[in-house]
Amino acid sequence: MAANEPLEISLKNVLDYFIVQNNEYRFVTKDFGIVSSFMRMTSELFFIHQPYKLKEGRIVYAVSGQVTLSINLIQYTAKKGDLLLLAPNSIIEIHEFTTDFEMRMMAIQNDFIQFLNKDEVLEYYIGRRENLFLPLSEKDYEMTERYFFLIWDTVHEEVFRKEVVQSLVSALLFNISYIRKRSKANNQTRHTRQEETFHRFIALVHEYCTRERNVAFYADKLCLSPRYLNTLVKNTSRQTVMEWLNQAVVIESKVLLKHSDLLVYQIADKLNFPNPSFFCKFFKKMTGMTPMEYQKS
């Protein structure tokens, strides 16, 4: 029997699996989902220190407490008023959260918002595959809440008004884009060109690490020399290009080991290792555990 593909946190599998106890806090269709209370929904899917891949993009914002998480290897600490725009296929890992942490969330399939793809915020969301972390002012937070609950109320009408929901989500995304532009204009500590290049590098690593692990490949994508890319990445992050690539491969390995029934040799092949033995040695060197030990942990 063929092995299953890795379990992704997608609208389809959320519909298919009985992983939520309190469905009154969520609304899900095949191309759009909205959650009014992540904690009270009591999902049985998420565990801390375990990476997950999000098939669709997400709009997420914290309403109380604090959470520390990694998104495509970059660590963030989010508190009330912090908004995250997560690109499709992002890999997230929750490290810790306070007991009063709460967030709201929307999951949006690309086709649902395809008519918006010329806007700058959609360039982050889809085109460049980068994630946006945006602290909101009190006024912007309150407006985001109003958008959210207008969408929440609309999806619960007797007939699902898809075009209305699309328009409201569009308005929310355009407002996020406006907030982002205003924030960049007002921010005295803007990203340097090196920092922007580093974030583009991380996005490329996330996209290609399972098949490309050569510094020259990423340097070519960024129109840089391999030597300069290594220097830039080291100066910006205190890690080398290869260290970032190895971490990305470990995260992909963990997703496959925990969320699929692929055998170790199949995972080694999927991640383009020359043989299973090489993959096992690499994984143990990086994590201190064999792949089988990690699966059982």
Side-chain angles (χ1 to χ4, degrees):
M1 185 174 66
N4 293 332
E5 285 299 302
L7 173 62
E8 297 173 310
I9 310 301
S10 68
L11 292 166
K12 181 180 184 301
N13 66 37
V14 168
L15 279 169
D16 290 346
Y17 293 105
F18 298 101
I19 59 173
V20 174
Q21 295 179 18
N22 300 314
N23 287 297
E24 65 268 30
Y25 296 108
R26 69 168 188 164
F27 176 90
V28 183
T29 71
K30 63 181 179 64
D31 51 14
F32 178 76
I34 183 168
V35 174
S36 64
S37 173
F38 182 78
M39 298 306 287
R40 283 187 282 183
M41 188 177 66
T42 318
S43 168
E44 297 178 4
L45 190 58
F46 279 95
F47 299 92
I48 63 170
H49 306 305
Q50 193 173 122
Y52 298 86
K53 180 173 283 190
L54 306 177
K55 184 176 181 182
E56 296 88 11
R58 299 289 195 278
I59 303 171
V60 181
Y61 66 98
V63 298
S64 65
Q66 183 172 291
V67 63
T68 302
L69 73 166
S70 294
I71 306 166
N72 300 337
L73 302 177
I74 304 297
Q75 186 166 301
Y76 301 87
T77 297
K79 59 186 183 304
K80 179 181 177 179
D82 290 337
L83 183 143
L84 288 159
L85 196 63
L86 307 181
N89 296 310
S90 293
I91 294 181
I92 68 165
E93 182 175 353
I94 297 174
H95 301 298
E96 60 181 355
F97 55 88
T98 58
T99 55
D100 61 339
F101 174 68
E102 179 63 282
M103 69 180 185
R104 309 199 206 285
M105 177 178 62
M106 293 182 204
I108 310 162
Q109 197 173 67
N110 282 1
D111 291 346
F112 194 77
I113 51 171
Q114 195 168 31
F115 62 98
L116 293 175
N117 59 11
K118 292 183 180 179
D119 186 65
E120 183 186 6
V121 75
L122 270 299
E123 178 68 11
Y124 270 80
Y125 189 67
I126 296 172
R128 292 170 65 181
R129 299 178 184 272
E130 292 184 29
N131 298 294
L132 176 64
F133 180 86
L134 189 63
L136 302 175
S137 68
E138 185 175 345
K139 181 179 178 181
D140 291 330
Y141 172 79
E142 290 172 356
M143 182 169 285
T144 301
E145 282 271 80
R146 288 199 292 273
Y147 275 117
F148 183 94
F149 281 106
L150 184 55
I151 295 168
W152 177 260
D153 290 341
T154 303
V155 300
H156 286 89
E157 294 289 340
E158 188 173 341
V159 176
F160 181 58
R161 304 175 184 182
K162 183 175 180 178
E163 294 80 5
V164 178
V165 176
Q166 286 175 313
S167 297
L168 291 170
V169 172
S170 167
L172 174 58
L173 285 166
F174 278 121
N175 195 57
I176 292 169
S177 180
Y178 169 77
I179 295 168
R180 178 178 175 271
K181 290 174 186 175
R182 188 189 62 204
S183 176
K184 284 184 69 177
N186 294 337
N187 191 353
Q188 299 302 311
T189 57
R190 299 178 187 179
H191 283 317
T192 65
R193 181 167 294 184
Q194 283 195 344
E195 289 171 331
E196 290 177 354
T197 302
F198 170 73
H199 284 284
R200 289 171 58 203
F201 162 71
I202 291 296
L204 289 169
V205 168
H206 172 61
E207 186 173 358
Y208 293 107
C209 71
T210 59
R211 57 185 188 274
E212 297 288 349
R213 297 197 273 275
N214 188 300
V215 177
F217 172 85
Y218 297 94
D220 184 62
K221 284 282 185 182
L222 294 166
C223 300
L224 303 171
S225 71
R227 183 176 179 180
Y228 181 73
L229 177 61
N230 246 324
T231 300
L232 184 152
V233 170
K234 183 74 173 178
N235 288 344
T236 306
S237 68
R238 299 183 181 179
Q239 294 191 87
T240 66
V241 169
M242 287 308 304
E243 284 172 331
W244 281 108
L245 284 167
N246 287 341
Q247 289 178 57
V249 174
V250 168
I251 289 291
E252 293 282 353
S253 304
K254 287 180 174 181
V255 171
L256 291 167
L257 288 164
K258 282 289 189 182
H259 305 304
S260 79
D261 60 2
L262 295 173
L263 301 174
V264 170
Y265 81 89
Q266 293 171 309
I267 294 173
D269 184 63
K270 193 175 184 73
L271 296 177
N272 287 297
F273 282 89
N275 54 62
S277 176
F278 194 93
F279 168 64
C280 291
K281 290 177 182 176
F282 166 83
F283 190 87
K284 185 165 186 180
K285 179 181 178 182
M286 293 295 296
T287 68
M289 293 184 283
T290 67
M292 292 294 291
E293 287 171 342
Y294 176 76
Q295 275 186 323
K296 295 173 181 177
S297 66

